[in-house]
Amino acid sequence: NAGVTQTPKFRILKIGQSMTLQCAQDMNHNYMYWYRQDPGMGLKLIYYSVGAGITDKGEVPNGYNVSRSTTEDFPLRLELAAPSQTSVYFCASSYPSGQTGFANTGELFFGEGSRLTVL
Amino acid sequence: GESVGLHLPTLSVQEGDNSIINCAYSNSASDYFIWYKQESGKGPQFIIDIRSNMDKRQGQRVTVLLNKTVKHLSLQIAATQPGDSAVYFCAEEQAWAAGNKLTFGGGTRVLVKP
């Protein structure tokens, strides 16, 4: 399994441009997430999805959109890039609690990250 | 608002010594806690987890301790190795209907000195 794959790894955008960060997982996980990580900070949840066709806002959703047409893919869209969106973006996936047979199943599997700079 | 935070931003440890990373949480409704390790340029990786009905859980060279009375979580790494140099995050799971939504703390950087 490749796990969680994110593309691109690096991108520079001009203010006002749009782009989509791609995320794919091959572990048949129902749950998927997008986090952003600012320098020296922890991760903040942008959007999440509990299954195909279902998405919901996290802590910092403004300026972003997501879609979940398949179990495998969870793209993150930036419509009008702003300098405040300069960050490292991480996609993650997980099983719903209780499906793996273990007592604690909250483990998130993260991608390698996508570093976005908006100038 | 309720949050998860860390006491020490940077921890320097001599190779072979034990490391202790601390974390404070404020949401008494959280019932699940996880420690992640993030190496430079990579995504976070799961280390160990613990439920609120437990005080201690051990893994390979790592132990997580949970003190619900003072809302404190710690990660102990035995015989710290150069490969343990990374940023460590604690995270708590907020109780909600669906999804494993985690709230992350700010992170502690561990530097292992040879």
Side-chain angles (χ1 to χ4, degrees), chain A residues 31 33 37 95 97 104 108, chain B residues 32 36 38 49 51 99-100:
Chain A
Y31 294 171
Y33 315 80
Q37 184 178 32
Y95 288 110
S97 296
N104 300 318
L108 269 60
Chain B
Y32 183 54
Y36 281 88
Q38 186 177 26
D49 58 5
R51 279 206 175 275
N100 304 330

Side-chain angles (χ1 to χ4, degrees), chain B residues 67-84:
Chain B
N67 186 331
K68 296 179 287 293
T69 302
V70 295
K71 299 193 182 83
H72 185 266
L73 194 67
S74 68
L75 177 70
Q76 300 178 0
I77 305 173
T80 310
Q81 301 170 358
D84 294 327

